[in-house]
Amino acid sequence: MAIDKISGKAYADIDAVSGVATSGIKKISAVTAPSGIVTANLRNKYTPSNYSGTGALLDEIGSQNISISGATYSSTQPAHFDFDGVNDYGGSSTASWSPSDLSVGWWFNQDTISGIQVQASLYGGSYTQGLFPYTYSVVGARARWTNASNQFTETTYFSRSAFPLNQWVYIGVSRNNSTAKMNLYIGTSSGLTQYVTNFSTTSASTFTNSWVVYGSPDYPFNGSLGDYHIYNSVLSTAEWTQNFNAQKAYYGL
């Protein structure tokens, strides 16, 4: 097992201890450097800690910058945007999206479950198309896929009573375009767990008006959102684990 903390110090801070360079620490007593998030096929990447404080949250890989409306920014670790559950949201400009493998992952801290709330997603041609996990006060947490013909499939992965509120959580969702299968992972202080395995979704066709959503304009999110990343590939369990492990210390886990 790799060591990523010494006396409460995150790995990135160890280079300040006794003048030992970070690059050399991994060679001492089999201590290994933790990997960052997976970068292969990374299509969009949003990092609140890099936010300038004004304007859009920049897409560090692609061109889908997110305009934030109403949400409050905090640079305190973990840097995040706080959404009020009423009229705060973030969204990118629109673009066409052709069917391909897809994975989306983000960090969130939800305050309450009330009504319908969408944390973040990739929307298709309307607010009801695309891939988006959401919470619903009647049943709990669901993951839905709706294609461009408005055919949808969804599955419940948490009851309302089991949903992790008021804590930082990592979520990762993948959809294989050729098999139309969906997988979903949740990372908490207990580790990363797969909650949806090869769930069958509807087939996909091209979305002509798609956009990245960071807090929904029509199903407002009540809580905080952190790092967000989108891939043109299906991440494996090992890759989702790598993403979770790379950032869990930053989010206090």
Side-chain angles (χ1 to χ4, degrees), residues 168-187:
W168 281 103
V169 175
Y170 181 67
I171 186 170
V173 190
S174 293
R175 182 185 179 277
N176 185 303
N177 187 61
S178 62
T179 65
K181 301 293 187 181
M182 180 192 297
N183 292 287
L184 182 146
Y185 299 80
I186 295 290

Side-chain angles (χ1 to χ4, degrees), residues 87-253:
N87 56 4
D88 295 351
Y89 68 92
S92 70
S93 57
T94 59
S96 295
W97 177 77
S98 297
S100 67
D101 291 342
L102 176 67
S103 294
V104 293
W106 61 81
W107 286 87
F108 72 95
N109 187 330
Q110 187 157 333
D111 294 339
T112 63
I113 293 183
S114 59
I116 298 175
Q117 298 182 45
V118 173
Q119 302 149 12
S121 66
L122 185 68
Y123 271 1
S126 74
Y127 296 157
T128 58
Q129 294 176 351
L131 175 66
F132 48 98
Y134 69 97
T135 57
Y136 182 28
S137 57
V138 176
V139 296
R142 288 178 170 175
R144 169 182 284 213
W145 166 264
T146 307
N147 64 20
S149 299
N150 289 314
Q151 297 170 319
F152 77 90
T153 44
E154 65 181 4
T155 182
T156 299
Y157 62 93
F158 267 138
S159 67
R160 178 176 180 175
S161 60
F163 191 81
L165 293 174
N166 300 303
Q167 59 182 287
W168 281 103
V169 175
Y170 181 67
I171 186 170
V173 190
S174 293
R175 182 185 179 277
N176 185 303
N177 187 61
S178 62
T179 65
K181 301 293 187 181
M182 180 192 297
N183 292 287
L184 182 146
Y185 299 80
I186 295 290
T188 66
S189 58
S190 299
L192 187 77
T193 302
Q194 186 168 2
Y195 281 91
V196 176
T197 302
N198 291 330
F199 176 71
S200 295
T201 67
T202 55
S203 60
S205 55
T206 299
F207 294 117
T208 58
N209 192 28
S210 64
W211 46 303
V212 177
V213 174
Y214 191 68
S216 172
D218 52 329
Y219 299 110
F221 174 62
N222 188 354
S224 300
L225 291 173
D227 287 66
Y228 183 21
H229 28 267
I230 301 173
Y231 296 84
N232 282 327
S233 63
V234 174
L235 267 63
S236 65
T237 298
E239 289 173 319
W240 283 123
T241 301
Q242 177 179 325
N243 280 5
F244 173 67
N245 287 340
Q247 296 186 311
K248 64 181 182 181
Y250 180 76
Y251 283 91
L253 304 184

